Amino acid sequence: MIDKKRVLDEFFQLVQVRCSTHDEREMGDILKKKLQELGAEAVHEDKAGEALGGNCGNIVADFAATVPGRKTVMLTAHMDCVEPCADIHPILENGVIRSDGTTILGSDDKAGVEAILEALRQVKEQKIPHGPLQVVFTVSEEGGVHGSQHLDQSLLHADYGYTFDTHGHPGYMTYAAPGKNQILIHVKGKAAHAGVEPEKGRNAIIAAGKLLAAAPQGRLDEETTCNAGTITGGTAANVVAAECTIRYEARSRNKEKLAKLTKEIIDHFEQGAKGTDCEAKVELAPDYDPYAMPLDSPAIALAKKACDKLGFPVQLEESGGGSDANHFNSYGIPTVVMGVGMTDCHTKEETILEQDLYDACELALGIIKEAAE
């Protein structure tokens, strides 16, 4: 049985630590100390922060087995939060935890962090037998899953893993997720005085608008989507806009569909721009590949057994979003994403049920126990 008061107190403490993407240093130091106190035989920090222009790397901790001959289980969560994540004031009311409404709450993903910490604490205090464990706390997950993308793979040796980082009550799991490509489109025209000689200009914003109106958008099928997220350009209302930039993304759980859609978007803008008297240059930045775990995979089977023993209903779903699990799966570590109860993430309305917080801790502990049997 987990220590509910300790869990709640520590969760409240963690969410009050500002942990912006690329500025995870304070949280990283706190977690390294906690992992050492919990008995990790080694705690590593890689160089991902340097590669990304941040101040903290991914943290990887190893816990030696007390039961020999077992598979190595990896538990992961990410440290960073979306903005605004400074001066968070968590409130518990009627079994629901929220912020005071001026910030996010930070259960994405401090709830996942807390689930792992409490599970490890129970293992140590109760001397629970366990196989070899790896714990990975990543940086820069928000905005592109870049921390795990730059993780030092030589530190990893797990057989399968669990990323505690999605909505849904504990027992909810996602076993498949899309790959994603970032597409940056630069439309170039020609500046001119908008009131004196607009005829001499070529408006990049107008060209971009015409191209966007005919571009792929939204849900294309059950596993494929794309979105034009931002558009910026121009310098002043009295100047014909010489430049415009569009930030696009394409996603699909099918790698071939993702490649085809990405090419379609690139061709649409590069070729279509010729009919607008403007030019378009495209930059492609792949974020992560899709993955799909077999429903009978050992990782899912073990998690289902843990849920059954705890009485948590199991719900297996395909996801429309990516996570650190995309990269872990690409590194050869079958990893399923576990629900921790977070709702309305990335908004000031974010909440988590108090009971879900406790249940996530129970499930992380249950997975460790099940892996030892």
Side-chain angles (χ1 to χ4, degrees), residues 342-362:
M342 56 177 78
T343 63
D344 294 319
C345 300
H346 297 191
T347 75
K348 295 177 184 178
E349 290 72 45
E350 179 187 358
T351 64
I352 184 171
L353 294 178
E354 180 185 6
Q355 188 60 49
D356 280 348
L357 182 64
Y358 303 147
D359 287 348
C361 297
E362 293 281 15

Side-chain angles (χ1 to χ4, degrees), residues 39-339:
E41 61 177 346
V43 179
H44 308 275
E45 181 179 334
D46 70 10
K47 304 289 187 181
E50 295 179 17
L52 295 167
N55 59 13
C56 183
N58 300 299
I59 296 168
V60 181
D62 292 299
F63 291 80
T66 61
V67 179
R70 300 299 188 267
K71 299 289 189 181
T72 301
V73 171
M74 178 180 70
L75 306 176
T76 90
H78 67 84
M79 292 184 267
D80 62 318
C81 295
V82 300
E83 304 295 342
C85 64
D87 299 317
I88 293 175
H89 301 285
I91 298 169
L92 171 61
E93 187 175 29
N94 298 323
V96 179
I97 307 171
R98 65 181 79 248
S99 74
D100 64 2
T102 63
T103 66
I104 62 163
L105 172 62
S107 59
D108 179 11
D109 188 26
K110 303 294 178 56
V113 172
E114 179 56 29
I116 295 169
L117 290 177
E118 177 61 17
L120 294 172
R121 202 167 279 123
Q122 289 294 328
V123 166
K124 180 181 180 182
E125 292 174 354
Q126 298 183 38
K127 296 182 173 55
I128 295 172
H130 62 87
L133 301 173
Q134 277 209 303
V135 172
V136 182
F137 291 131
T138 63
V139 296
S140 300
E141 192 274 348
E142 301 293 1
V145 198
H146 296 306
S148 54
Q149 184 179 29
H150 289 80
L151 193 146
D152 182 352
Q153 296 178 48
S154 69
L155 297 173
L156 302 178
H157 55 82
D159 293 289
Y160 41 80
Y162 302 90
T163 294
F164 286 78
D165 181 28
T166 194
H167 62 278
H169 304 297
Y172 178 93
M173 310 177 207
T174 60
Y175 65 93
K180 184 177 76 166
N181 289 333
Q182 298 273 10
I183 306 167
L184 192 64
I185 302 153
H186 303 282
V187 182
K188 185 175 181 180
K190 181 180 179 182
H193 193 293
V196 177
E197 46 187 8
E199 302 85 357
K200 292 185 177 182
R202 299 195 301 274
N203 196 310
I205 293 176
I206 298 300
K210 291 178 179 178
L211 291 167
L212 278 170
Q217 184 61 224
R219 181 171 298 282
L220 305 183
D221 61 38
E222 63 179 6
E223 59 185 357
T224 309
T225 64
C226 62
N227 182 58
T230 68
I231 179 168
T232 57
T235 56
N238 63 350
V239 179
V240 175
E243 295 183 354
C244 180
T245 299
I246 306 164
R247 290 187 177 273
Y248 229 93
E249 69 159 39
R251 299 178 187 238
S252 183
R253 291 195 292 272
N254 182 294
K255 194 169 184 177
E256 289 72 29
K257 287 182 180 180
L258 177 61
K260 181 180 178 181
L261 173 60
T262 300
K263 184 179 186 303
E264 181 181 347
I265 292 169
I266 292 173
D267 289 347
H268 173 78
F269 283 94
E270 287 185 339
Q271 300 303 318
K274 297 175 182 178
T276 65
D277 291 327
C278 290
E279 298 178 357
K281 294 184 178 181
V282 179
E283 295 179 37
L284 174 61
D287 276 344
Y288 43 79
D289 287 334
Y291 73 91
M293 298 176 64
L295 290 176
D296 60 353
S297 68
I300 293 175
L302 188 147
K304 289 173 71 175
K305 287 182 181 179
C307 287
D308 290 343
K309 290 184 178 180
L310 291 165
F312 296 167
V314 172
Q315 184 179 356
L316 287 162
E317 298 285 350
E318 296 174 313
S319 175
S323 72
D324 288 325
N326 284 72
H327 290 305
F328 292 130
N329 277 282
S330 73
Y331 300 155
I333 303 175
T335 303
V336 60
V337 185
M338 312 297 290

